[in-house]
Amino acid sequence: MRKISLFFLLISGIIFAQQSVLEQKINSITKDKNATVAVSVHSFEDNIKLSINGDKKLPLLSVFKFHIALTVLNLVDQKKLSLKQNILVTKEDLHENTWSPFRKKYPNGNVEITLEELLQYMVSQSDNNTTDLLIRLAGGTQSVQKFMDKMKVKDFTIKADESKMHEGYEFHYLNTSTTNSLNQLLKNFYDKKMISKTSTSFLMKTMLETTTGANKIVALLPKETPVAHRTGSSGKNEEGLTIAENDIGIITLPNGKHIALSVLVSDSMESEETNTKMVAEIAKVVYENFNK
């Protein structure tokens, strides 16, 4: 019995030392930066967790599209919506001066597209116009909040759609969460506790196909590393303030392990290059720490 206790003490000591080294490396990356940086790490198979500012509520920006996708897919699971149903997108739905690969492809709108394709535009390409369409289909931001509350997602608030956020930078602060909450949501999603197995597989594949944020989590990882992620970025306001430069996701390591990593960079006076480089370097040291 004493040998078993000593063994577990030894293992606990090794894990603690590993966490301490990783925390020091992350702190060295964010040191002296004029920004608030929150980081949460969770190795699923080992159940090793680490967080820095992990309970600090910060703006999500387009990271909230993950929560919206989960809400819509829950309605698909309930047969209230279908991935194959056609949705008419009118020209009035396609606002200008917003990120929209969909509008670039269909500038005049008045085209029918499947719900599946709308979700792919929102999640993989971070399209803002299709996001607001999906929010309306889900029943509004209040319906997204209601589903997250029902699923016991802590420290999450959604009050503004993309159109509202584009009315002024102050509205970027209305949708918030913490990196600890985001990591727990990623774990519950991975464990198929949020939506059905079929919907989980679809959303995982769609997140793996994300084209935005090439300069964040994925930037310094080996090229073929699978990363199912969702990004968010505010750009800079007139004072040079970046309200958010975010990326969250599930990294699959060569050894078969899975790491949830959430990084929220908020209220930064650093350059875009510095902000995104912080996220990329944090992802790199996390990858190296667990890929052993």
Side-chain angles (χ1 to χ4, degrees):
M1 194 74 176
R2 181 175 173 77
K3 287 183 178 179
I4 294 174
S5 298
L6 287 171
F7 173 76
F8 281 109
L9 280 172
L10 178 62
I11 294 298
S12 297
I14 292 171
I15 291 172
F16 179 78
Q18 188 180 30
Q19 289 172 308
S20 180
V21 170
L22 179 57
E23 185 172 0
Q24 289 174 22
K25 289 180 178 179
I26 293 172
N27 283 332
S28 70
I29 293 168
T30 61
K31 183 182 178 183
D32 298 328
K33 300 297 190 301
N34 190 356
T36 297
V37 184
V39 182
S40 288
V41 182
H42 184 185
S43 173
F44 292 169
E45 287 77 14
D46 302 322
N47 197 31
I48 297 173
K49 298 180 181 180
L50 168 70
S51 77
I52 299 169
N53 291 327
D55 290 321
K56 200 172 192 66
K57 293 194 78 171
L58 298 173
L60 287 171
L61 276 292
S62 287
V63 169
F64 83 146
K65 292 169 183 174
F66 178 47
H67 303 76
I68 296 163
L70 289 169
T71 305
V72 171
L73 287 168
N74 173 61
L75 294 173
V76 171
D77 291 339
Q78 294 180 39
K79 310 297 184 187
K80 294 180 179 179
L81 294 173
S82 167
L83 287 180
K84 300 305 179 185
Q85 75 182 82
N86 286 324
I87 310 294
L88 175 64
V89 184
T90 68
K91 187 167 186 178
E92 290 69 33
D93 293 322
L94 302 178
H95 302 295
E96 298 182 3
N97 302 317
T98 189
W99 175 255
S100 183
F102 184 90
R103 183 173 56 81
K104 186 174 182 180
K105 185 173 182 179
Y106 303 105
N108 296 316
N110 297 318
V111 60
E112 286 194 341
I113 186 172
T114 64
L115 179 62
E116 179 178 7
E117 292 173 297
L118 281 179
L119 283 162
Q120 289 167 337
Y121 268 103
M122 178 180 74
V123 175
S124 298
Q125 299 187 53
S126 203
D127 189 286
N128 292 334
N129 283 318
T130 57
T131 296
D132 281 356
L133 271 169
L134 287 164
I135 289 174
R136 291 201 296 274
L137 275 173
T141 56
Q142 65 273 20
S143 294
V144 180
Q145 185 71 62
K146 186 176 179 180
F147 178 58
M148 292 299 133
D149 291 344
K150 178 184 176 183
M151 301 305 290
K152 300 187 181 344
V153 177
K154 297 179 179 178
D155 298 323
F156 169 75
T157 302
I158 178 172
K159 293 182 178 179
D161 62 9
E162 288 289 350
S163 292
K164 186 65 177 177
M165 284 194 283
H166 278 73
E167 290 179 15
Y169 278 98
E170 64 271 25
F171 300 116
H172 289 195
Y173 291 95
L174 293 179
N175 304 326
T176 62
S177 191
T178 69
T179 53
N180 282 344
S181 172
L182 291 164
N183 263 19
Q184 187 59 56
L185 182 59
L186 288 168
K187 180 64 165 62
N188 289 344
F189 163 65
Y190 177 82
D191 288 341
K192 305 174 184 66
K193 293 179 179 178
M194 295 297 298
I195 49 180
S196 70
K197 181 179 178 180
T198 300
S199 291
T200 298
S201 296
F202 167 75
L203 184 51
M204 182 69 78
K205 179 178 182 294
T206 307
M207 291 171 71
L208 284 166
E209 294 169 349
T210 293
T211 57
T212 57
N215 53 357
K216 298 182 195 178
I217 286 179
V218 301
L220 299 178
L221 302 185
K223 191 174 181 181
E224 301 304 319
T225 304
V227 182
H229 65 130
R230 178 85 293 279
T231 62
S233 180
S234 65
K236 286 189 174 294
N237 66 14
E238 293 177 356
E239 288 74 42
L241 178 76
T242 299
I243 295 169
E245 194 70 79
N246 304 331
D247 204 356
I248 72 165
I250 299 171
I251 304 168
T252 302
L253 305 180
N255 60 19
K257 293 182 178 181
H258 300 85
I259 310 295
L261 173 62
S262 295
V263 185
L264 303 181
V265 178
S266 184
D267 289 338
S268 175
M269 293 302 294
E270 304 291 342
S271 66
E272 179 186 356
E273 182 183 5
T274 297
N275 291 328
T276 56
K277 188 177 179 182
M278 276 194 287
V279 179
E281 289 182 342
I282 288 168
K284 183 174 185 286
V285 297
V286 168
Y287 178 95
E288 292 171 346
N289 183 81
F290 290 101
N291 186 37
K292 296 176 181 177

